[in-house]
Amino acid sequence: MKKRLVVLLAGLLTVLSLGFGLAQFSDVPAGHWAKEAVEALAAKGLLLGFPDGTFRGNENLTRYQAALIIYRLLQQIEEELKAKGTSPTMQALSPEDLEALKNAVQELAAELAALGVRVSALEDSAATKEDIARLESLIEELKAKPAEPGMDQAALQDLMDRVEAASIAADTALAQAQQLAEQLQALSEDVQGVKGDVAALSTQVEANAQAIQALNELAVLLNQDVLSLQDRVTALEKGLADLQGVNFGEFATKEDVAAVQEFAAALRSDLVSLSEKVSKLESQVADLSKVQYSIKGSLSVTYGTTTSTGLAFDVDRLFPGNAFSTGAFGNASSPVQKADIIAGRNLSYGGASLTFGVKNNAPAAQGVAVSEASATLNVDAFTGALSNVPPIYFDAASVKGSVDGQPFSVAYSRSNSAFKFNDYLFANDNDPEPANPRQGMVATFSATKFPLSPNVTVVAGVAAAGADGSPALNGNYFGIRTAFKPFSALNLALNYATNLGNRSAIGVDGGLELGPLSLSALWVCSQTPGSPVANCFNNALSDWAYYVQGETKLGPVSLSANYHAVDPQYADGQAGMSENEDTNYYGLLKAGAPYGADTRGLGISASVGFGPLSLKGYAESETTYGGGPGTYESALGAALTLGSFRGFSLTGFYNRYYNNGNGYFDLSNPANAGGSYNNVYYYLPVDENHENQNYSSSFGVRVAHDGAAQDALVPTLNLTAQYVSFYIPGYTDIQVYANLAKPFKLALLSLSPGFRYHSFTGPAAPTGDYTTLKAGVQVSTDPILFGLSLDSAVSYRKTDYVGNSTAGGGVNTPTTTYELYYRFGIKISDFLAPKVNVSAAYAHYEGDKLVVGGLPTVGSGNQAFNFARDRVYRSPDPILGPWAATPGTQSGLVEGFYLQADYYNLSVAYGEFVLTDLARTPANTSYGRGFKISYTVKF
């Protein structure tokens, strides 16, 4: 069939070289050399001729005619291939057919090129449509003229008819020529495709030839291997034939054979014994791998001292986290309590720590099984004084395991035993720097195989008074808590706790989940020693704390409500024996209970979201624990937030505070500014409880930009602008503050700037109007040269008090207070040797007319780069409210330089410090110095 394609292509070439004629071929002579070819193509329907029965073999071939013939030919070829079920890719052509096809394609391409030249010449020689149009125009002009004598009108009409016929013929010829050109272009592309198929076929044929050659070579190698194998078989057969006559008795006797057999039997026995020993050893190794032992520890030694020529003072403000720091900032009323630089302070210490651990990876399922245990042993080799018998003590120990598959744990702590029964009883788990150490044990057991699956917690120990004069726990204590889960949605717990000689308490708490509704409740009764248990059921004879809380979420709506009552004896965690609530220590707020002491009331809150809109609202009413009708203070408010767009949000809020039915806050008593149930009104920073000036009588608007938002207009920029107007005329509050969420990189520099503006207007307030401006920046560099990098910071705050009339009738004069802090330092990594890091810095802090009199010996929290707060370290906040801000008389400065070098766990620190007044009066100047070297080895 492939040869058929070659024949058809060859016939087409012959016809293209002749011309065209009618199928009757009346003008083709009988002896013409192409008569047979013309008739064959006509018989196959490729040539139909002209209507007058002529072939016209000597005329030029138009493109339309050539396209028609080629189209008919291709149709016949495709039909024949389909009838044979053969693909037209020509992959199976024989080499002879392939060569003939290549020649035919090349000839066809040449003829098509020649045909294109002929058609182009024909188009060039033919009258164009423009020529005919001009001729028609001339004829029309001739007709319009008056007939001249002798003009033949019939001849003129005949000429017009002939021109029109020529125009039609020209249009037809031009259209046919354009169509033929398009078809010739398509045919030319088909020819190129055929050329590609031929080339691919040639490559395949060559590849097949190479594969056949490789198979032939492999066959030769296999044949050689077979011949070699036959030679080896022949040699083996010959060797066996030679052994036929050998007498093997000449080589070994029967005794020798028996000895060999006996040795083999003994060897087999030894192998069996060895195999049993190996199996036993593997079993022992498997048993040992079930239990993993660990040991780690440390050795440390420190020598250090501080000196002071006058007052003790802290240097945390200058160099946070320095080697001489005693921890948090101190209390102004007890400046020595947390001071760092003290005359004769001994920092020397030597000690060791060793922790043993064991872990059982496959504890027994029955009986008592320990899964893991650890114990830490400490030794105080010296603490600055000679001790012939250094104290050795367990610092911590723990055991975890199961009893018949029921988990239990026991933990011991020498100084920070942590546990919590509920919000108002034995809440002692959130005291990271305990003022009152607790030494004791906490044991838990989950009795999953008992009815109701109780979870039991037992605590016992002893607490010391520590530095705080009124600890919530002091002396021996004991408690037990049993939690039940009657069904999946309900949990209940019974509690008993006692601090011997001080307090005892019982309580119950629990929760219930009903679909989207979540309920929780608590009741605690606390009483002093000697009180009968029956008194616990009378709130007049015992101290109660209780609440009921509910939350639900219905689609976009969230609701919460509560009713609560807390006896005043629960202040500072006393009645509940809870150090978490001990707010006296450092004068800071550490309370974690949801409602304050000496309160009784209820509250509701709600929120709903509609796309970018969210609405929040609250309403609360509260009085003292024993207050009656007419003593309630109430607050309500709402806030509508639109956001976020390019990181921006817009919030409008409204609040109303009622004091005994009056809608105002009493500025003469700032403690009432936010309601007695708030007790202390922390004006800033705003948090979830005070975020929209809650519990005041005010309304306002806030615009904020979140630099962490994905579509933030200015990435990393946090910006807040807020305006608040209070109900008493003239009382307004404006705040604008901004900072970067992460440092801004500028070449080698990293910058963290920020600023704050705060203006409070209160014509009848105790101190009148005031305005605070605060700005600061922290700057550091990448390593510049030899591991050297720079670090610096500066923060400045100025507050201007206008000096309006006070409630008492006095007049304050205008006053300006300020704080200034700055630091410059360098750091060198790998100084002189790898892992040797050295840092040196100078820092300065000063302030004038701060809240407490005297020199600024102790700070009260680092707010230098918190731009939501007015202060740097001291006044004018924390305050009860902006209306209570008052300039003080404290004035002075602290400055010094600090040097520290570290090499792995070796650390050396040295510093020189000064505390003085702003005039640097020698009589008011204290010089301090500190040195400390410590080394710790961990293993």
Side-chain angles (χ1 to χ4, degrees):
M1 197 282 295
K2 304 302 184 293
K3 292 182 179 180
R4 177 69 172 171
L5 176 60
V6 177
V7 173
L8 291 174
L9 286 173
L12 175 61
L13 291 175
T14 303
V15 174
L16 292 176
S17 66
L18 295 176
F20 287 91
L22 189 62
Q24 303 300 322
F25 315 134
S26 60
D27 58 346
V28 178
H32 196 279
W33 59 273
K35 179 178 177 60
E36 182 179 355
V38 172
E39 291 180 349
L41 290 177
K44 293 191 174 291
L46 297 179
L47 298 178
L48 300 181
F50 291 92
D52 60 358
T54 60
F55 176 64
R56 303 179 187 179
N58 293 326
E59 293 183 0
N60 291 331
L61 176 67
T62 68
R63 292 185 180 182
Y64 288 111
Q65 292 168 339
L68 184 59
I69 295 171
I70 294 171
Y71 174 71
R72 293 171 182 165
L73 172 63
L74 294 177
Q75 277 190 324
Q76 288 193 13
I77 293 173
E78 185 177 359
E79 291 175 358
E80 290 189 13
L81 291 177
K82 289 182 179 180
K84 295 292 186 177
T86 307
S87 173
T89 58
M90 301 179 291
Q91 292 181 353
L93 285 177
S94 65
E96 295 80 5
D97 292 343
L98 181 62
E99 187 63 28
L101 181 58
K102 289 169 64 177
N103 295 334
V105 169
Q106 291 176 357
E107 293 178 10
L108 178 59
E111 285 294 332
L112 288 174
L115 180 59
V117 173
R118 292 168 61 190
V119 172
S120 298
L122 177 61
E123 290 175 343
D124 294 339
S125 62
T128 65
K129 190 171 183 179
E130 289 77 4
D131 294 335
I132 295 173
R134 286 196 297 271
L135 181 57
E136 291 176 338
S137 177
L138 291 173
I139 294 172
E140 290 296 331
E141 292 178 2
L142 185 61
K143 290 174 61 178
K145 292 181 179 181
E148 297 181 2
M151 179 178 292
D152 190 348
Q153 294 295 330
L156 180 60
Q157 184 63 40
D158 180 63
L159 177 60
M160 292 175 58
D161 294 340
R162 289 171 62 188
V163 168
E164 184 178 1
S167 176
I168 296 173
D171 290 341
T172 303
L174 182 59
Q176 291 176 343
Q178 290 176 348
Q179 184 176 2
L180 180 58
E182 295 173 356
Q183 294 181 346
L184 281 176
Q185 178 64 27
L187 180 61
S188 176
E189 294 175 356
D190 292 338
V191 169
Q192 293 299 324
V194 171
K195 287 182 178 180
D197 291 338
V198 170
L201 184 58
S202 298
T203 302
Q204 183 178 356
V205 170
E206 292 175 359
N208 291 340
Q210 294 175 359
I212 292 172
Q213 179 65 26
L215 289 174
N216 290 334
E217 294 175 356
L218 180 61
V220 172
L221 294 176
L222 290 175
N223 187 46
Q224 292 176 356
D225 292 341
V226 170
L227 293 176
S228 176
L229 183 60
Q230 289 178 348
D231 293 341
R232 293 169 64 186
V233 170
T234 300
L236 182 59
E237 290 176 345
K238 183 175 181 302
L240 291 174
D242 294 339
L243 290 175
Q244 299 261 333
V246 176
N247 184 8
F248 290 98
E250 298 177 358
F251 297 97
T253 64
K254 293 182 179 180
E255 289 77 6
D256 294 335
V257 174
V260 172
Q261 291 176 343
E262 182 179 355
F263 175 75
L267 182 61
R268 184 178 297 107
S269 177
D270 291 342
L271 288 175
V272 172
S273 177
L274 181 61
S275 176
E276 292 175 352
K277 291 180 179 180
V278 170
S279 298
K280 184 177 180 180
L281 183 61
E282 290 177 344
S283 177
Q284 292 176 346
V285 170
D287 291 338
L288 290 175
S289 64
K290 294 179 181 179
V291 180
Q292 297 177 350
Y293 298 91
S294 64
I295 182 172
K296 61 180 180 180
S298 65
L299 296 172
S300 61
V301 59
T302 298
Y303 170 77
T305 183
T306 66
T307 61
S308 175
T309 62
L311 294 175
F313 57 96
D314 75 52
V315 293
D316 296 279
R317 292 167 290 179
L318 302 180
F319 311 103
N322 65 84
F324 314 114
S325 174
T326 55
F329 291 93
N331 189 316
S333 61
S334 180
V336 180
Q337 184 177 21
K338 300 299 292 183
D340 307 319
I341 304 303
I342 303 174
R345 180 183 172 204
N346 192 341
L347 303 178
S348 299
Y349 169 79
S353 174
L354 196 62
T355 300
F356 302 90
V358 60
K359 186 175 183 179
N360 187 354
N361 295 318
Q366 302 296 326
V368 179
V370 175
S371 59
E372 59 181 285
S374 67
T376 300
L377 180 68
N378 282 351
V379 179
D380 290 334
F382 62 88
T383 59
L386 177 63
S387 175
N388 293 326
V389 182
I392 302 175
Y393 54 88
F394 275 111
D395 188 62
S398 65
V399 177
K400 293 182 180 180
S402 62
V403 179
D404 290 339
Q406 303 167 104
F408 75 88
S409 68
V410 180
Y412 163 79
S413 176
R414 180 175 178 267
S415 59
N416 191 22
S417 186
F419 49 89
K420 179 179 180 179
F421 283 8
N422 60 42
D423 288 333
Y424 291 95
L425 184 61
F426 263 21
N428 298 295
D429 64 338
N430 188 23
D431 200 3
E433 189 180 11
N436 306 293
R438 295 179 299 276
Q439 182 180 136
M441 303 182 69
V442 179
T444 65
F445 176 59
S446 297
T448 56
K449 297 183 178 180
F450 283 64
L452 301 180
S453 301
N455 194 319
V456 181
T457 300
V458 178
V459 300
V462 60
D468 193 347
S470 57
L473 273 177
N474 188 10
N476 294 99
Y477 62 84
F478 172 81
I480 182 170
R481 172 182 171 87
T482 304
F484 304 93
K485 203 171 185 64
F487 50 91
S488 61
L490 176 65
N491 61 83
L492 294 171
L494 302 177
N495 307 273
Y496 170 75
T498 181
N499 184 195
L500 297 181
N502 296 321
R503 283 274 177 179
S504 63
I506 59 174
V508 58
D509 57 83
L512 178 64
E513 301 285 342
L514 296 175
L517 177 62
S518 175
L519 296 174
S520 61
L522 172 150
W523 174 78
V524 174
C525 166
S526 176
Q527 53 188 4
T528 56
S531 300
V533 176
N535 286 359
C536 257
F537 301 99
N538 187 334
N539 63 351
L541 301 176
S542 58
D543 306 322
W544 281 16
Y546 60 92
Y547 65 70
V548 178
Q549 300 176 151
E551 297 180 356
T552 186
K553 185 174 180 61
L554 302 172
V557 179
S558 297
L559 299 172
S560 64
N562 73 83
Y563 179 81
H564 58 275
V566 183
D567 191 280
Q569 294 299 318
Y570 284 85
D572 298 331
Q574 297 298 309
M577 297 165 279
S578 301
E579 291 291 347
N580 290 5
E581 309 307 315
D582 187 358
T583 60
N584 284 337
Y585 190 60
Y586 303 153
L588 301 179
L589 182 66
K590 298 195 301 179
Y595 312 103
D598 195 17
T599 61
R600 179 187 302 275
L602 55 84
I604 60 173
S605 64
S607 66
V608 60
F610 302 97
L613 286 175
S614 63
L615 176 64
K616 296 181 179 179
Y618 72 94
E620 295 188 6
S621 184
E622 194 167 72
T623 184
T624 60
Y625 183 74
T631 64
Y632 277 84
E633 297 173 345
S634 303
L636 57 84
L640 179 64
T641 299
L642 172 63
S644 160
F645 174 74
R646 300 301 304 273
F648 284 96
S649 63
L650 176 64
T651 301
F653 51 87
Y654 170 86
N655 301 283
R656 187 77 174 183
Y657 167 69
Y658 296 89
N659 182 4
N660 296 327
N662 300 316
Y664 62 91
F665 53 88
D666 185 1
L667 293 176
S668 64
N669 182 6
N672 291 331
S676 63
Y677 52 89
N678 253 6
N679 195 16
V680 178
Y681 185 93
Y682 281 94
Y683 184 67
L684 285 175
V686 294
D687 57 27
E688 65 275 7
N689 295 322
H690 305 90
E691 64 175 341
N692 297 310
Q693 300 300 138
N694 291 4
Y695 312 111
S696 65
S697 293
S698 61
F699 59 90
V701 63
R702 179 175 62 254
V703 178
H705 178 268
D706 181 6
Q710 292 184 349
D711 62 341
L713 181 64
V714 183
T716 77
L717 174 63
N718 295 327
L719 173 66
T720 300
Q722 178 174 288
Y723 170 83
V724 182
S725 179
F726 297 93
Y727 275 37
I728 299 178
Y731 285 80
T732 60
D733 188 80
I734 299 174
Q735 300 179 57
V736 180
Y737 52 94
N739 72 296
L740 296 183
K742 62 181 181 179
F744 170 71
K745 290 289 292 184
L746 181 63
L748 296 177
L749 295 177
S750 295
L751 298 94
S752 298
F755 80 92
R756 173 175 177 78
Y757 169 81
H758 181 197
S759 175
F760 177 77
T761 302
T767 57
D769 304 352
Y770 71 86
T771 300
T772 293
L773 291 174
K774 178 180 175 181
V777 62
Q778 300 179 81
V779 183
S780 62
T781 69
D782 296 337
I784 301 173
L785 187 64
F786 304 114
L788 173 67
S789 61
L790 305 179
D791 176 66
S792 61
V794 60
S795 179
Y796 177 75
R797 184 270 301 180
K798 182 183 77 167
T799 301
D800 292 322
Y801 294 88
V802 174
N804 291 18
S805 299
T806 66
V811 178
N812 292 330
T813 59
T815 304
T816 297
T817 71
Y818 78 92
E819 290 180 283
L820 172 64
Y821 168 76
Y822 57 85
R823 182 185 72 246
F824 303 98
I826 63 171
K827 296 180 181 179
I828 306 177
S829 300
D830 300 330
F831 178 68
L832 300 180
K835 302 300 182 181
V836 177
N837 301 319
V838 177
S839 63
Y842 169 82
H844 176 98
Y845 168 76
E846 66 179 66
D848 188 24
K849 295 182 177 61
L850 305 182
V851 67
V852 179
L855 294 174
T857 55
V858 180
S860 60
N862 185 354
Q863 304 294 333
F865 301 100
N866 179 6
F867 297 98
R869 305 294 297 268
D870 279 350
R871 64 191 176 97
V872 175
Y873 287 99
R874 299 207 63 82
S875 176
D877 65 7
I879 54 178
L880 303 178
W883 39 83
T886 306
T889 58
Q890 186 182 89
S891 177
L893 65 87
V894 180
E895 63 183 359
F897 74 87
Y898 179 74
L899 174 68
Q900 181 169 329
D902 299 293
Y903 179 65
Y904 287 97
N905 293 320
L906 173 65
S907 179
V908 180
Y910 177 78
E912 295 274 356
F913 314 100
V914 177
L915 169 68
T916 185
D917 57 27
L918 294 179
R920 297 181 183 270
T921 306
N924 295 329
T925 301
S926 296
Y927 295 96
R929 176 180 299 166
F931 173 76
K932 182 178 180 181
I933 179 172
S934 62
Y935 182 64
T936 301
V937 178
K938 297 181 179 180
F939 55 89

